[in-house]
Structure formats: structure tokens, C-alpha cells
Amino acid sequence: VQLVESGGGLVQAGGSLRLSCAASGFTFDGYAVGWFRQAPGKEREGVACISSRDSNTIYTDSVKGRFTISIDNTKNTVYLQMNSLKPEDTAIYYCQVDPLPAINLKTSVLKGTAPFRSFASWGQGTQVTVSS
């Protein structure tokens, strides 16, 4: 299982970015897919996740109303639309998967923490930098 993140960049505060998570040799069907981020000197934290079967979503409190996670099963890709970006959103963003019901992954997003375990190897991530 290989996860590849893309779409990061440098944006001013208040701007938007859309991140993509693609899977290689693997389909998201039957899994939840989550986005995580890690800022310099901080622990990795959960941001959002989506279930492949019913598209139910969960967000950590700090991004609610600003970020939207979605899945395109035809392209086997998960997106994270990030609006109203703030400097504190600056981090490397990663995606991760967990077999449904994906309690581990969902709990980590709800709590804004790193997952207890990772189903797949972490990818390179994509850097998001928000300037003030």
C-alpha cells in the first residue's frame, strides 16, 4: 500500500488549497481515509477523515467549517479542500487509511491526535505553508 499526497504550497492567510491523496496498488473501498498534519516540533495530529462506503465525515474542532474532505471512488482519490487558511495550519499533511469501522483512525481525528497505529506506511506528505 502506497499513499501519495499532493497539492500543498504557499498561500496567504485566508487563502485556499486542495490536497489530494492517491493510493497505489490499493483501493479505498472498505476503508476510512484520514488526513493528518505535523507542524515543526509538534506531534502529528488528526484533521479529517471520511468513510469510503457512506462518505460520513469527521473533523477535528480546529478545522470545522473551514476544511472539507471528500472521496472520488472512480479516481481512488481523497481530497481535502482547505479554505480560510490560518498560519497555524502550516504543517506537512499526510493521509492514512484504516479498515472500516476504522475506530482507531476516527478516534484520532476526533481527538486531534496521531493514530494509535498506522495501517499503511506514511508517505512523504505535502507541505502547506500559510503566511500571515
Side-chain angles (χ1 to χ4, degrees), residues 48-51 54-59 68-70 109:
C49 69
I50 187 167
S51 296
D54 56 17
S55 296
N56 280 344
T57 58
I58 298 173
Y59 298 91
T68 302
I69 188 170
S70 61
V109 170

Side-chain angles (χ1 to χ4, degrees), residues 21-83:
C21 170
S24 175
F26 173 77
T27 64
F28 289 138
D29 184 43
Y31 291 79
V33 183
W35 281 99
F36 296 80
R37 65 186 181 187
Q38 188 165 18
K42 294 188 176 182
E43 295 288 323
R44 189 167 296 176
E45 62 178 10
V47 175
C49 69
I50 187 167
S51 296
S52 61
R53 292 284 171 82
D54 56 17
S55 296
N56 280 344
T57 58
I58 298 173
Y59 298 91
T60 196
D61 286 346
S62 63
V63 307
K64 284 181 180 176
R66 300 189 299 122
F67 290 10
T68 302
I69 188 170
S70 61
I71 187 168
D72 186 335
N73 286 309
T74 64
K75 296 182 178 180
N76 205 37
T77 301
V78 169
Y79 304 97
L80 185 68
Q81 178 67 43
M82 305 186 297
N83 299 328

